[in-house]
């Protein structure tokens, strides 16, 4: 009996154990099924427009780690096919053909998708994109930094030793591409700062500027600390013009139909240079360097020429009202669109441009350390400024001191003086010791309020003195007086002939030729680089990354120890140019013209050919290959075989009608006075 009871208890225990195991298995299956459902339903499809496949793969594998299924490659493969979405699934099926994608392993699927969505990048192209990256008007500084870092990841900025130099490039491009000029000036003050330090300082300055604007808006403060105040008339004109522009761009305004920038395709663009990261009021490009190819006018490019856009619009809509079209087309300048009949640039006004002599500037001479110096007297300037080239002529031995002052001009741009020096000043027996700020040679000599007060300068006295010293009423008795009276004419600098652009004519079937640079002796390299920097600073050459044309630089040592830069065009360019058949005067013809004259003067033009601008195609043809890269030549270059004929033709046109004047290459000969 006891034996039977024990057997019964064992049977019941075994049955209960079996039932418990079955329940546990069912629960486990339900949990796995629930987990799989959750896995399948909790990851988005791949969209190549949103993110690169490399990023999608990293996020997906992180998801597998969280679900603890990363070791199960079969499950990962099935989930990947489930997740990628119908469009990518169909594309994958095509890539895997003739294989069935359901039998592919996880690594095989990843390899196919990476090959298709992540092709090998051209490092040179990525580096070009990086160097073209600039901050646009909608980007914050932080977003711009992130964009640069993202671009730099694809550029492989590595030196020969294998060390990454990406930070150096990122630092340079951040400073170059940042929109805010004030922040850029602050960053340039510490050239040894790292990229991280530059970013921290830039973001701090941006935050401070934003906070300052908030405080200014709340307090209604509009004061701005300036060393040179903005001219009221100029500022009001610019403000009104900008308000008119904003008003005219308002699509909802019924009266804004005068110019529809959106229809013309130039909405949001600078109406000078055509870029989208600033408006015309913020454009720093010299107007004289911008030329419209459609109408030959300077000040803007064809890309944003309103007259040209209106003409194109008119040709597409021939059924429009003819009177309205003609009225719109008659506007030829930017100012006319804003309702301005006459624009007077107060800082450029002269008697030749004005109908009244009262609009002339005030000029006076002041003795600096005993030497005469001419200044424009400007009560709108707080301090006295002197261009570096004029300061050098004074031969002042006192060294310049550094200064932490920056000046703001009427266009709101900032510039930093080269230095400051204390000098002895004398004006009409009134003497004083004053600070003189030395600035770039491109600036104007200005005598400011400090000197005006200390020297007790009376503007009415200046007017009287000017009338006495008028060259039309007095004879000039010496060459030095001529040089002083027309000092700007005798400056050794390269200008440009206004309203004239030269074009080089290529023979039919001409093909670009690029010759690599020639080796520059190390003893001359520093001098050559200095000359290249000067030419680039003056706008004579422009650095370019790529060019189909290229002629090697030739360095000629000069007797004074400096170098002359020439270009060898005899192989790449000259054989492919059409000859310019303009007759150049013979020497015996010139002597025959001078035979009856008694007095002679020769004017030697400084770097004559460089005063002649060339068109865009000619710039590329004249490209120079140097040890520092390629430069486009923006002016007529020495060495071009047609340059002598072209220059003589231009000079003859300019001097046409002037008696007693004849030109021979870069020499202008003036003669007169009959022989006895």
């Amino acid at each position: 009996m006891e034996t039977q009871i024990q057997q019964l208890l064992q049977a019941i225990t075994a049955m209960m154990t079996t039932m418990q195991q079955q329940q546990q298995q069912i629960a486990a299956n339900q949990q796995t099924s629930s987990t799989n459902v959750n896995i399948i339903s909790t990851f988005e499809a791949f969209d190549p427009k949103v993110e690169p496949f490399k990023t999608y793969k990293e996020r997906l594998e992180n998801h597998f780690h969280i679900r603890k299924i990363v070791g199960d490659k079969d499950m990962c493969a099935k989930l990947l096919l489930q997740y990628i979405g119908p469009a990518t699934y169909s594309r994958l099926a095509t890539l895997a053909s003739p294989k069935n994608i359901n039998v592919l392993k996880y690594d095989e699927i990843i390899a196919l998708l990476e090959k298709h969505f992540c092709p090998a990048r051209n490092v040179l192209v990525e580096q070009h994109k990086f160097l073209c990256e600039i901050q646009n008007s909608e980007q914050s500084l932080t977003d711009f930094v992130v964009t640069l870092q993202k671009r730099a990841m694809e550029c492989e900025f590595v030196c020969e030793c294998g060390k990454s130099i990406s930070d150096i490039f990122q630092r340079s491009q951040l400073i170059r591409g940042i929109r805010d000029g004030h922040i850029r000036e602050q960053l340039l003050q510490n050239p040894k700062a790292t990229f991280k330090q530059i970013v921290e300082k830039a973001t701090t300055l941006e935050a401070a500027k934003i906070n300052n604007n908030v405080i200014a808006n709340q307090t209604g403060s509009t004061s701005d600390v300036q060393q040179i105040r903005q001219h009221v008339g100029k500022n009001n004109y610019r403000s009104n013009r900008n308000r008119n522009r904003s008003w005219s761009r308002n699509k909802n305004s019924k009266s804004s139909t005068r110019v529809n920038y959106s229809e013309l395709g130039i909405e949001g663009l600078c109406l000078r240079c055509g870029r989208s990261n600033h408006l015309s009021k913020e454009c720093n490009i010299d107007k004289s360097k911008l030329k419209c190819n459609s109408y030959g006018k300077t000040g803007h490019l064809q890309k944003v020429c309103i007259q040209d856009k209106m003409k194109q619009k008119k040709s597409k809509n021939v059924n429009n009202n003819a009177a309205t079209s003609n009225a719109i087309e008659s506007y030829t300048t930017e100012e006319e669109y804003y309702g301005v009949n006459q624009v007077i640039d107060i800082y450029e006004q002269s008697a030749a441009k004005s109908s009244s002599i009262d609009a002339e500037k005030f000029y006076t001479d002041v003795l600096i350390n005993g030497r005469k110096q001419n200044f424009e007297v400007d009560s709108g300037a707080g301090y006295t400024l002197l261009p570096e080239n004029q300061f050098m002529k004074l031969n002042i031995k006192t060294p310049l001191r550094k200064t932490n002052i920056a000046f703001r001009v009427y266009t709101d741009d900032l510039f930093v003086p080269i230095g400051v020096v204390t000098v002895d000043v004398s004006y009409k027996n009134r003497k004083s010791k004053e600070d003189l700020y030395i600035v770039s040679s491109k600036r104007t000599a200005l005598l400011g309020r400090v000197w005006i007060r200390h020297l007790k300068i009376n503007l009415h006295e200046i007017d009287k003195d000017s009338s006495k010293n008028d060259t039309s009423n007095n004879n000039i008795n010496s060459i030095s007086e001529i040089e002083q009276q027309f000092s700007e004419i005798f400056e050794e600098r390269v200008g440009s002939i206004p309203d004239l652009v030269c074009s080089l004519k290529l023979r039919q079937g001409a093909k670009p030729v690029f010759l690599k640079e020639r080796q520059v002796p190390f003893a001359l390299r520093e001098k050559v680089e200095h000359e290249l920097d000067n030419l680039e600073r003056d706008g004579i050459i422009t650095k370019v990354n790529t060019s189909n044309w290229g002629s090697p630089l030739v360095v000629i040592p000069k007797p004074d120890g400096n170098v002359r830069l020439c270009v060898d065009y005899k192989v790449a360019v000259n054989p492919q140019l059409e000859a310019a058949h303009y007759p150049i005067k013979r020497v015996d013809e010139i002597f025959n013209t001078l035979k009856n004259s008694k007095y002679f003067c020769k004017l030697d033009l400084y770097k004559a050919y460089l005063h002649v601008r060339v068109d865009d195609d000619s710039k590329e043809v004249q490209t120079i290959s140097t040890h520092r890269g390629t430069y486009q030549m923006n002016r007529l270059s020495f060495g071009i075989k047609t340059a002598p004929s072209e220059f003589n033709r231009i000079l003859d046109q300019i001097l046409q009608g002037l008696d007693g004047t004849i030109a021979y290459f870069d020499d202008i000969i003036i003669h007169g006075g009959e022989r006895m």
Side-chain angles (χ1 to χ4, degrees):
M1 186 71 174
E2 293 178 359
T3 303
Q4 292 178 347
I5 292 173
Q6 290 177 356
Q7 291 177 351
L8 176 61
L9 291 174
Q10 290 175 355
I12 292 173
T13 302
M15 182 179 67
M16 292 177 65
T17 301
T18 302
M19 292 176 64
Q20 185 178 3
Q21 291 176 349
Q22 290 177 351
Q23 290 177 354
Q24 291 176 350
Q25 183 65 35
I26 292 171
N29 291 339
Q30 289 177 349
Q31 184 177 359
T32 302
S33 176
S34 176
T35 301
N36 290 340
V37 171
N38 290 336
I39 292 174
I40 293 173
S41 61
T42 55
F43 206 81
E44 67 271 16
F46 171 62
D47 186 355
K49 296 180 181 179
V50 175
E51 64 179 334
F53 182 74
K54 180 180 179 181
T55 306
Y56 181 82
K57 173 192 169 186
E58 291 174 355
R59 294 197 305 110
L60 179 62
E61 291 181 346
N62 186 47
H63 170 76
F64 289 159
H65 276 287
I66 294 174
R67 297 299 182 183
K68 297 181 180 180
I69 59 173
V70 68
D72 189 351
K73 292 296 184 180
D74 292 337
M75 177 61 71
C76 290
K78 294 183 182 300
L79 291 177
L80 175 58
L81 294 176
Q82 179 66 27
Y83 290 154
I84 57 177
T88 308
Y89 185 93
S90 176
R91 189 171 298 180
L92 178 62
T94 303
L95 295 173
S97 180
K99 286 187 178 181
N100 188 337
I101 59 175
N102 291 312
V103 301
L104 293 177
K105 295 182 180 180
Y106 176 77
D107 292 338
E108 293 176 335
I109 297 174
I110 291 294
L112 285 173
L113 293 176
E114 283 185 337
K115 183 177 180 181
H116 180 72
F117 289 108
C118 306
R121 295 180 180 271
N122 189 315
V123 176
L124 295 177
V125 175
E126 296 303 321
Q127 291 175 353
H128 168 74
K129 292 179 181 178
F130 173 84
L131 295 174
C132 292
E133 194 68 49
I134 59 174
Q135 184 185 10
N136 60 50
S137 57
E138 299 178 357
Q139 268 185 324
S140 68
L141 185 58
T142 306
D143 291 339
F144 179 51
V145 171
V146 172
T147 303
L148 284 181
Q149 291 175 326
K150 183 179 178 182
R151 289 280 191 198
M153 291 173 61
E154 306 292 340
C155 291
E156 299 182 9
F157 288 130
V158 180
C159 66
E160 295 180 356
C161 63
K163 184 179 179 181
S164 174
I165 54 175
S166 180
D167 278 3
I168 297 176
F169 281 93
Q170 292 182 62
R171 179 185 63 179
S172 300
Q173 192 61 25
L174 172 62
I175 295 174
R176 176 178 174 270
I178 197 169
R179 290 183 66 245
D180 194 310
H182 175 68
I183 295 179
R184 184 188 296 110
E185 289 175 0
Q186 297 294 319
L187 299 180
L188 288 172
Q189 292 180 5
N190 187 4
K192 296 183 179 180
T194 63
F195 176 64
K196 183 179 179 181
Q197 292 171 336
I198 288 285
V199 172
E200 290 176 354
K201 185 172 182 179
T203 51
T204 302
L205 291 171
E206 184 185 52
K209 184 175 182 180
I210 294 172
N211 293 334
N212 178 64
N213 291 337
V214 171
I215 295 173
N217 291 335
Q218 290 177 349
T219 60
S221 173
T222 58
S223 63
D224 188 9
V225 179
Q226 303 183 35
Q227 297 300 336
I228 297 182
R229 295 174 181 265
Q230 300 175 358
H231 196 287
V232 176
K234 186 78 174 182
N235 197 41
N236 288 343
Y237 161 69
R238 290 177 176 271
S239 300
N240 292 334
R241 190 178 72 173
N242 293 333
R243 284 198 294 271
N244 289 337
R245 177 175 298 175
S246 301
W247 170 77
S248 67
R249 291 189 177 191
N250 186 352
K251 297 180 181 179
N252 298 324
S253 174
K254 292 182 180 180
S255 60
S256 67
T257 57
R258 192 173 188 179
V259 179
N260 191 322
Y261 292 90
S262 179
E263 287 186 3
L264 297 181
I266 55 177
E267 177 70 24
L269 301 181
C270 171
L271 296 181
R272 292 183 185 174
C273 66
R275 296 181 180 176
S276 61
N277 60 347
H278 63 269
L279 295 177
S280 301
K281 65 179 182 179
E282 303 168 346
C283 188
N284 294 324
I285 299 179
D286 187 355
K287 283 186 177 183
S288 63
K289 296 180 180 179
L290 302 174
K291 183 172 182 180
C292 176
N293 293 329
S294 294
Y295 296 92
K297 297 178 181 179
T298 57
H300 65 274
L301 297 178
Q302 182 182 2
K303 177 182 178 181
V304 287
C305 178
I306 298 177
Q307 185 177 355
D308 185 56
K309 298 294 182 182
M310 287 292 189
K311 187 173 182 180
Q312 294 178 11
K313 179 182 176 183
K314 178 182 175 182
S315 64
K316 294 180 181 179
N317 302 278
V318 293
N319 295 326
N320 287 351
N321 185 282
T324 303
S325 299
N326 291 334
I328 294 175
E329 190 180 350
S330 66
Y331 294 112
T332 59
T333 64
E334 184 180 345
E335 285 74 13
E336 291 183 25
Y337 280 101
Y338 308 128
V340 179
N341 294 326
Q342 184 181 12
V343 177
I344 300 177
D345 192 337
I346 294 177
Y347 282 83
E348 295 296 334
Q349 186 65 27
S350 65
K353 299 178 182 178
S354 173
S355 58
S356 171
I357 195 171
D358 294 335
E360 288 186 348
K361 297 178 181 179
F362 291 101
Y363 289 96
T364 191
D365 291 328
V366 175
L367 292 180
I368 299 178
N369 286 9
R371 303 198 64 176
K372 185 185 293 186
Q373 175 61 46
N374 187 260
F375 285 95
E376 176 189 343
V377 181
D378 185 2
S379 60
Y383 295 85
T384 298
L385 314 179
L386 184 65
E388 184 182 18
N389 59 337
Q390 298 184 36
F391 174 73
M392 298 300 292
K393 294 178 182 178
L394 295 177
N395 196 26
I396 296 176
K397 302 300 183 181
T398 307
L400 296 180
R401 307 190 307 272
K402 291 185 178 180
T403 175
N404 56 0
I405 290 179
F407 296 104
R408 189 189 303 277
V409 298
Y410 67 96
T411 58
D412 256 359
D413 293 330
L414 290 175
F415 68 93
V416 179
I418 299 171
V420 61
V421 62
T422 302
V423 294
D424 293 320
V425 185
S426 177
Y427 177 78
K428 292 186 180 296
N429 297 323
R430 295 186 283 271
K431 299 180 180 181
S432 177
K433 274 189 175 293
E434 303 293 344
D435 285 340
L436 177 64
Y437 289 87
I438 310 305
V439 296
S440 168
S441 298
K442 296 181 179 180
R443 303 287 176 182
T444 303
L446 295 180
L447 193 150
R449 292 188 297 272
V450 173
W451 284 31
I452 292 175
R453 288 191 173 101
H454 291 182
L455 297 174
K456 299 179 182 180
I457 295 177
N458 189 317
L459 299 183
H460 295 293
E461 292 180 359
I462 295 176
D463 265 349
K464 293 178 182 178
D465 293 341
S466 298
S467 61
K468 292 178 182 179
N469 296 327
D470 190 349
T471 57
S472 62
N473 299 325
N474 290 275
N475 294 323
I476 298 176
N477 299 316
S478 66
I479 294 177
S480 60
E481 290 182 9
I482 295 176
E483 291 178 344
Q484 184 177 356
Q485 185 69 36
F486 304 98
S487 58
E488 292 183 0
I489 302 297
F490 290 96
E491 284 184 18
E492 288 190 355
R493 62 182 180 87
V494 177
S496 64
I497 302 175
D499 303 325
L500 188 143
V501 177
C502 181
S503 177
L504 302 180
K505 304 299 182 183
L506 293 173
R507 296 180 184 274
Q508 188 174 3
K511 296 181 179 179
V513 176
F514 184 90
L515 300 177
K516 68 177 184 178
E517 73 280 5
R518 293 179 183 172
Q519 185 175 3
V520 178
F522 289 101
L524 300 178
R525 183 161 295 187
E526 184 177 351
K527 297 177 181 179
V528 171
E529 291 177 350
H530 178 70
E531 286 294 318
L532 290 174
D533 290 339
N534 291 340
L535 293 172
E536 188 174 15
R537 180 198 62 200
D538 295 337
I540 297 172
I541 60 176
T542 302
K543 186 73 178 290
V544 292
N545 294 325
T546 59
S547 176
N548 293 326
W549 292 87
S551 298
L553 185 70
V554 180
V555 182
I556 309 297
K558 297 169 68 175
D560 60 1
N562 293 321
V563 294
R564 177 182 289 109
L565 301 186
C566 303
V567 188
D568 185 3
Y569 290 111
K570 66 177 180 291
V571 176
V573 178
N574 285 342
Q576 304 193 75
L577 289 177
E578 290 184 0
H581 299 293
Y582 185 83
I584 299 176
K585 299 177 183 67
R586 298 195 306 272
V587 176
D588 55 349
E589 288 181 292
I590 296 175
F591 287 159
N592 185 63
T593 305
L594 305 177
K595 64 182 180 181
N596 295 323
S597 296
K598 183 178 180 181
Y599 302 102
F600 307 90
C601 173
K602 185 189 75 171
L603 300 179
D604 187 4
L605 298 180
Y606 179 72
K607 296 184 178 180
Y609 294 177
L610 298 185
H611 294 259
V612 181
R613 291 175 295 164
V614 295
D615 60 19
D616 292 339
D617 292 336
S618 301
K619 292 178 184 178
E620 185 177 5
V621 170
Q622 295 184 129
T623 299
I624 308 169
S625 57
T626 75
H627 67 284
R628 288 176 52 175
T630 53
Y631 292 85
Q632 277 190 354
M633 192 74 183
N634 302 324
R635 305 297 178 90
L636 185 61
S637 180
F638 295 93
I640 294 294
K641 75 172 185 180
T642 58
S645 296
E646 289 288 347
F647 186 79
N648 274 270
R649 177 181 60 81
I650 293 169
L651 209 55
D652 286 351
Q653 291 177 356
I654 294 174
L655 300 177
Q656 185 177 9
L658 295 178
D659 294 334
T661 305
I662 188 170
Y664 184 69
F665 292 96
D666 59 347
D667 291 330
I668 300 176
I669 303 171
I670 304 168
H671 59 98
E674 294 184 358
R675 291 179 180 273
M676 298 297 294

